[in-house]
Amino acid sequence: MTAFIEDHRESYIQTIRINRPDKKNALLPEMYLAIAGAIDSAQKDRNVRVTVLTGTGDAFTAGNDIGDFITMADGKGAAIPTQGNAPFPAFLAALLAAQKPIIAAVNGLAVGVGVTVLPHCDLVYAADTARFSMPFVNLGIVPEAASTVLMPAMFGRMRAMELFLLADPFDAQKAHQLGLVNAIFPAGQLMQEVMAIAARLAAKPPSAVRATKRLVLAHSALVEKAIEAEGRTIDVQVRTPESREAMKAFKERRPPDFSRFD
Ligand code: COA
């Protein structure tokens, strides 16, 4: 277990809180594993009927830790690869296997996997201050978590491509228009509202809630295939000189220069 992930269970509600605020809750391999472990164990816990996923401070999560991408490109460790029980696949597998509903409370900044995780949640609520972006291409890599399949289906191809390729940040209002977010609340009231919704869900007949989720997720074979294809592509892309330039530029706090790449 890592101190960067909190798992609090009370009144049939599990709250998983990403708690690395000084790094905008960027996710390290051990954090993916801790979230996966928390979700997995909640499935067997009779005292959990619903999971709430949120972040500490002004960020939901700034996505995968950039330093970890650099480590991966150097071949010293890997968060993303599809094989075995690597942390990122384990995190996605836990989300896909969860029978109990998951509610995301997007309390602020959501970048990369902070956005691609949302279609794997059953209800998504955002603070009015939340900002979203998917800068995968800017980093020389590609979107993950089956977002290349789920998001065109959710938003339409053009809107999904705009978010993937131009990768501009967008606000909670746009996320709501896209159907990525169920509702927006004033930042100071978000958790209170989400916990009230979670309590409503926890009071419903639990097996009917689980069976409904199971039926809605019946398409997951396609999702699993997309996760594998994306993972393989990221594994290649993250080692390219253009991706290394992008990651290095982030670390050096300068704009990247892709002019020399084909
Ligand atoms: N990985 C590692 N560290 C990260 C991070 C990430 N994904 N996102 C933020 N941080 C760190 C910063 O390096 C900084 O650390 P430092 O104080 O030791 O220098 C700290 O978190 C605060 O970030 P900062 O950039 O100063 O905050 P900001 O409010 O100006 O900007 C972001 C916030 C999220 C817009 C900006 O940090 C960013 O673009 N991060 C990268 C997001 C990203 O590309 N994620 C991967 C997606 S695939």
Side-chain angles (χ1 to χ4, degrees):
M1 202 61 183
T2 159
F4 294 141
I5 300 297
E6 291 172 3
D7 176 357
H8 180 77
R9 302 177 190 199
E10 193 178 338
S11 307
Y12 292 115
I13 302 169
Q14 173 190 41
T15 305
I16 300 175
R17 190 179 287 277
I18 309 170
N19 185 26
R20 197 188 174 207
D22 57 327
K23 298 290 179 189
K24 305 284 177 192
N25 297 330
L27 291 161
L28 293 163
E30 65 263 32
M31 295 165 71
Y32 290 122
L33 286 178
I35 297 172
I39 292 173
D40 283 342
S41 84
Q43 307 312 304
K44 292 164 229 134
D45 183 347
R46 295 187 75 243
N47 293 315
V48 173
R49 291 188 176 183
V50 49
T51 294
V52 172
L53 178 64
T54 192
T56 304
D58 63 357
F60 179 58
T61 169
N64 199 73
D65 187 277
I66 301 273
D68 183 55
F69 274 134
I70 295 170
T71 307
M72 178 182 169
D74 290 342
K76 291 180 191 139
I80 302 290
T82 51
Q83 301 304 313
N85 58 354
F88 189 66
F91 164 74
L92 294 179
L95 287 168
L96 292 184
Q99 302 144 27
K100 300 178 182 179
I102 299 176
I103 305 178
V106 184
N107 52 304
L109 198 76
V111 186
V113 68
V115 184
T116 60
V117 72
L118 301 178
H120 296 283
C121 299
D122 300 290
L123 295 167
V124 178
Y125 298 99
D128 54 358
T129 51
R131 298 278 289 169
F132 303 75
S133 67
M134 292 188 284
F136 300 101
V137 165
N138 296 351
L139 290 169
I141 57 172
V142 298
E144 26 64 324
S147 56
T148 58
V149 169
L150 294 172
M151 290 191 178
M154 289 170 75
F155 317 144
R157 173 172 166 177
M158 306 312 161
R159 275 188 285 248
M161 285 305 250
E162 188 176 33
L163 301 180
F164 291 150
L165 297 183
L166 299 183
D168 292 326
F170 57 99
D171 62 13
Q173 203 56 48
K174 178 158 181 185
H176 188 235
Q177 282 161 9
L178 287 166
L180 192 61
V181 159
N182 288 91
I184 303 167
F185 295 113
Q189 291 167 31
L190 175 71
M191 284 318 289
Q192 192 187 333
E193 297 282 356
V194 167
M195 294 315 272
I197 293 164
R200 280 177 54 202
L201 211 46
K204 290 187 187 284
S207 79
V209 169
R210 291 195 302 273
T212 301
K213 175 160 180 163
R214 190 166 64 241
L215 290 164
V216 168
L217 291 184
H219 64 279
S220 67
L222 187 59
V223 168
E224 281 166 24
K225 236 173 117 183
I227 287 171
E228 274 190 38
E230 292 162 349
R232 278 195 304 274
T233 310
I234 291 173
D235 212 15
V236 171
Q237 283 300 130
V238 80
R239 293 177 170 80
T240 58
E242 59 186 47
S243 180
R244 284 175 181 270
E245 162 61 10
M247 309 285 178
K248 208 161 155 260
F250 174 75
K251 285 279 174 197
E252 292 167 5
R253 292 185 175 268
R254 61 167 173 84
D257 176 8
F258 301 118
S259 60
R260 65 185 186 280
F261 302 118
D262 294 327

